[in-house]
Amino acid sequence: MGTPGVDEAFVWFASGLWHNRSVAVYLEIWAKSGVRLVPLEDEAVAIGKRPGDGVVIEDDRTVSRLHALVEPAGGGWCIRDLGSRNGTYVNGQRIWAQQALHRGDEIRAGATRIVFRDDDPGTVLSATLAAPGAPSLTRRERDVLVALCRPLLVGGVFREPASVRDLAAELVVSEAAIKQHLAHLYDKFGLYDTAERRRVRLANEALSRGAISVADLGGSDEDA
């Protein structure tokens, strides 16, 4: 049996098909139906359930429609979560910001295992990606962020950030006031789109950029 061409969207090798070694950088997707390879070239590759994404994962109910993005950066590759419901993990640690990928890194999107493979000697493996610093916040805006993120630590598993109703109850203000504070925070953190999961993205940004810490939420850094 011949080797499949690298122009295919992915290459199956679960049944003994081996990938073309000219594909230097790729993602190794371990799905229920087998293992497939997705080449990484010059453009970002999305991971999720949505048809048309670079890595479509249809057999994992814990993967969001638009879950994560792998993209070129600084001579290497990085990954960032796109506000997914169950989070994105690299080597067992949940990521809250854009993170550089290194040869052999294990990514988990939902329950799906993905391995970053890099056989290109020209790739800059030491690239580091720093999130921008936290914006200036009022005391009340910081209170809102702490209350927003606190549910993330409950029970040791990922949960949704607090709802507008819960925020209003905890801070003893109206829901309209909370929505106004959130609007200001979206603006300060550069979340200008109107996606439904902006609260998740705001929580991610607040933690990754140091606006608040795990200690502020009532836990230790080891809990993150």
Side-chain angles (χ1 to χ4, degrees), residues 37-208:
L37 309 181
V38 176
L40 297 176
E41 297 177 343
D42 299 323
E43 298 182 352
V45 173
I47 299 171
K49 285 184 177 295
R50 190 173 67 179
D53 286 346
V55 179
V56 181
I57 303 174
E58 298 178 338
D59 54 2
D60 184 348
R61 297 177 62 183
T62 64
V63 171
S64 298
R65 281 179 58 80
L66 193 57
H67 198 105
L69 189 71
V70 176
E71 55 191 342
W77 289 84
C78 68
I79 186 170
R80 58 189 173 94
D81 186 78
L82 297 176
S84 64
R85 179 176 298 275
N86 292 304
T88 302
Y89 294 77
V90 176
N91 299 326
Q93 298 295 315
R94 188 170 179 208
I95 61 172
W96 298 99
Q98 191 181 57
Q99 179 165 320
L101 289 171
H102 303 273
R103 184 180 293 124
D105 277 353
E106 180 172 309
I107 302 162
R108 283 201 180 269
T112 298
R113 177 174 179 255
I114 302 171
V115 181
F116 176 73
R117 301 294 188 189
D118 188 349
D119 299 328
D120 183 356
T123 300
V124 180
L125 295 179
S126 60
T128 56
L129 301 168
S136 176
L137 301 173
T138 67
R139 183 171 181 175
R140 178 53 86 179
E141 287 170 347
R142 191 173 182 282
D143 289 343
V144 170
L145 286 178
V146 170
L148 176 74
C149 296
R150 186 173 289 119
L152 301 181
L153 290 183
V154 175
V157 297
F158 176 72
R159 297 175 182 269
E160 289 284 322
S163 66
V164 170
R165 177 179 296 178
D166 291 339
L167 289 171
E170 179 171 341
L171 299 175
V172 196
V173 295
S174 68
E175 292 186 21
I178 291 296
K179 289 178 180 179
Q180 186 175 32
H181 286 306
L182 287 175
H184 291 160
L185 287 166
Y186 293 145
D187 184 62
K188 288 186 175 184
F189 281 90
L191 304 176
Y192 300 117
D193 60 73
T194 57
E196 292 182 1
R197 300 184 63 76
R198 273 202 298 178
R199 285 186 301 106
V200 174
R201 294 174 57 198
L202 178 59
N204 289 347
E205 288 287 320
L207 286 165
S208 66

